[in-house]
DNA sequence: AGTTCATAAT
């Protein structure tokens, strides 16, 4: 936290030059300042002094706004400058990258070239960062060409960054990286590590191991990278062997192992290693808490979270986001709330990403009201925030509310993406707005420039199918530009079952069995169709077939959380200690339902 | 004006 700086404008500013000098001193730490109010005050004073176009002052302001995630303000400052120099362009491009405005970063870069300015060795690394997570292989190649043309290859940092960026562009990228790696006449340990990491990312474990063996020098990162390779491949025995044989083990090595055992579901082993760790940091604690949370072990998760805080560690954004994501995955409202209070105790304001994770967690745990109150309290929202909230509303049947929120979102100038439209269509499905859904679907390309993906088709099949328009749904599936997958056929089949359309169902099942001949779900769907049509001999037949093929349907489970404990139930499950009482209650509910003439459907 | 690789991640 930087110290608060008081900008005092002298009562009698002697000359313009000296005013500027005073500002220079006061502005020195502005780009590190985290108090938005303070930055705004300074901005106002700068405007008053007419210094906002100054080529020393403007970059400081842009950096400061960028750090506070105030990209709109940063853009405003930048736009005021008539003739930006390279330094200013770099600062602005860096701000774009920091706030994940990757497109704007490149647009600015192209504008800079149009203005006849040359990018320098500061510009390119920023641009490479902008390609992160975008899979912009052509742009990485373009940067590569530029760097070669202008001879920026002296420092190993440049080709190493290129290797890393290439490796983030999938298989083709890794191949380009390999070509570059092979022609480099000098390589350091980072070059090797990055290349190995890239191979692992595309699943080339054996290639990575080969390179690892060839390495002339290995550091801790090299060992940990290859260890992670084994862990990600699920080879815990090999990983453990390597772990034992490592020349030195640091926090990362230990954490990687703990994470591996958590993913394998072996929480006992995970805990044992965790307890033996000589040093634990935030990441290690996050791994163990999330590990318990994903498995639904709410009590252990909460206890570990509290132990972490007792150890004097304050969860950061990464910790909070991962734990909340695990809560959302397994519905651990208790832990989610506990993390929320902890954040509120530490911080005055959450970052956008943390708030998004909170919205998502509350929505997925069924607490739509809490999700809404976090969402409404957010001072800044991004596309992810809207998408989480829309999805939450749609998922819980608040279709109308979701569509209202969608129109507010557009009023506020947000451009919907494909996730948004899935949520919108899903809202129509759950609210039964068939015609409205069709309208959104037909116009999504024209209105939002989004070509329908398979997920959107899935929503439409669901929408038409539930509405009883089975023929239209079937026609849509046949006319799809992409091959229908299991989800699409399954959805259509579900609709057939709902409307007792046995004829169409058998047709659909043919397609489904061709795609997934051994999926037990298909058999139970088939059996359920026959069951709803009252064809019990066919049902028996299907069950017999399943038995012959040795197929067992993994039974679906439902779970509820009571007092920080998750109880899971499957069909005919008698394992719960209060099983008798539970079945008594079910029977009573069944009688109550009969009394109001509702006949419960029973499926396989 | 700032740097690359390893563990958690919306």
């Amino acid at each position: 936290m930087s110290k608060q700086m008081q900008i005092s404008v002298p009562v009698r500013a002697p000359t313009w030059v000296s005013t500027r000098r005073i500002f220079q001193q006061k502005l020195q730490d502005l780009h590190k300042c985290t108090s938005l109010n303070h930055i705004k005050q300074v901005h106002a004073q700068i405007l008053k002094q007419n210094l906002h176009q100054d080529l020393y002052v403007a970059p400081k302001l842009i950096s400061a706004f960028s750090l506070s995630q105030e990209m709109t303000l940063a853009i405003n400052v930048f736009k005021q400058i008539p003739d930006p120099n390279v330094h200013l362009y770099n600062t602005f491009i860096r701000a774009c990258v920091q706030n994940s405005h990757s497109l704007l970063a490149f647009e600015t870069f192209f504008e800079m070239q149009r203005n006849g300015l040359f990018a320098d060795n500061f510009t390119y690394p920023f641009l490479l960062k902008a390609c992160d997570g975008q899979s912009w292989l052509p742009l990485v190649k373009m940067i590569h060409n530029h760097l070669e043309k202008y001879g920026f290859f002296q420092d190993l940092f440049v080709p190493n960054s290129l290797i890393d960026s290439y490796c983030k562009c999938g298989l083709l990228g890794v191949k380009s990286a390999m070509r570059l790696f092979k022609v480099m006449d000098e390589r350091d340990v980072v070059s090797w590590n990055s290349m190995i990491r890239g191979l692992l990312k595309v699943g080339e474990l054996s290639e990575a191991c080969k390179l690892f063996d060839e390495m002339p020098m290995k550091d801790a990162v090299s060992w940990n990278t290859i260890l992670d390779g084994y862990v990600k491949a699920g080879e815990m025995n090999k990983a453990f062997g390597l772990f034992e044989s490592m020349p030195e083990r640091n926090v990362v090595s230990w954490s990687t192992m703990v994470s591996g055992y958590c993913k394998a579901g072996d929480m006992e082993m995970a805990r044992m290693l965790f307890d033996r760790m000589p040093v634990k940091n935030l990441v290690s604690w996050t791994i163990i808490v999330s590990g318990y949370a994903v498995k639904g072990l709410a009590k252990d998760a909460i206890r570990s979270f509290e132990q972490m805080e007792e150890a004097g560690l304050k969860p950061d954004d990464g910790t909070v986001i991962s734990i909340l994501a695990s809560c959302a995955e397994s519905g651990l409202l208790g832990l989610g709330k506990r993390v929320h209070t902890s954040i509120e105790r530490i911080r005055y304001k959450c970052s956008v990403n943390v708030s998004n994770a909170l919205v998502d967690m509350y929505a997925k745990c069924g607490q739509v009201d809490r999700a809404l109150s976090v969402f409404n309290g957010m001072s800044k929202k991004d596309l992810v925030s809207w998408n989480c909230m829309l999805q939450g509303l749609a998922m819980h049947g608040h279709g109308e509310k979701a569509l209202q929120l969608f129109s507010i979102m557009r009023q506020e100038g947000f451009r919907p993406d494909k996730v948004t439209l899935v949520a919108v269509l899903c809202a129509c499905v759950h609210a039964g707005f068939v015609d409205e859904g069709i309208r959104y679907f037909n116009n999504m390309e024209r209105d939002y420039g989004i070509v329908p993906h398979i997920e959107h088709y899935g929503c439409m099949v669901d929408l038409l199918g539930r509405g009883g328009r089975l023929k239209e749904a079937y026609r849509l599936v046949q006319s799809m530009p992409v091959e229908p997958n299991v989800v699409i056929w399954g959805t259509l089949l579900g609709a057939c079952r709902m409307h007792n359309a046995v004829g169409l169902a058998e047709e659909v099942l043919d397609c489904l069995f061709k795609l997934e001949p051994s999926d037990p779900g298909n058999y139970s769907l088939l059996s359920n169709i026959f069951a709803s049509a009252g064809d019990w001999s066919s049902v028996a037949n299907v069950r017999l077939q399943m038995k012959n093929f040795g197929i067992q349907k993994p039974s679906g489970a439902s779970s509820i959380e009571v007092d920080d404990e998750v109880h899971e139930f499957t069909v005919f499950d008698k394992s719960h200690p209060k099983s008798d009482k539970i079945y008594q209650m079910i029977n009573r509910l069944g009688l109550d339902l009969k009394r109001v003439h509702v006949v419960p459907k029973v499926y396989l």
Side-chain angles (χ1 to χ4, degrees), chain A residues 17 118 218 222 288 375 415 457 463 480 539 567 604:
Chain A
V17 175
F118 284 101
K218 298 182 177 86
S222 328
I288 199 82
F375 178 78
R415 223 185 109 174
Y457 283 102
L463 185 74
M480 274 167 50
V539 172
H567 305 263
L604 178 76

Side-chain angles (χ1 to χ4, degrees), chain A residues 416-437:
Chain A
D417 68 352
K418 67 175 233 201
V419 182
T420 319
L421 269 126
V422 172
V424 167
L425 294 176
C426 181
C428 293
V429 172
H430 288 284
F433 298 153
V434 183
D435 294 316
E436 201 149 5

Side-chain angles (χ1 to χ4, degrees), chain A residues 35 86 139 142 155 175 234 258 266 271 281 344 538:
Chain A
S35 152
V86 177
L139 285 175
M142 182 199 80
D155 192 349
K175 284 188 177 153
V258 174
D266 188 350
R271 187 73 208 198
N281 62 13
E344 279 177 338
S538 299

Side-chain angles (χ1 to χ4, degrees), chain A residues 39 48 59 77 97 143 149 232 344 372 419 429 443 448 481:
Chain A
I39 303 166
K48 215 188 263 170
V77 174
V97 175
I143 296 170
K149 197 158 119 198
K232 290 258 160 73
E344 279 177 338
L372 267 171
V419 182
V429 172
N443 298 335
Y448 310 113

Side-chain angles (χ1 to χ4, degrees), chain A residues 402-421:
Chain A
L403 294 183
Q404 277 167 14
L405 196 73
F406 179 57
S407 84
I408 298 174
M409 170 186 173
R410 279 173 299 167
Q411 276 163 30
E412 297 203 0
F414 281 90
R415 223 185 109 174
D417 68 352
K418 67 175 233 201
V419 182
T420 319
L421 269 126

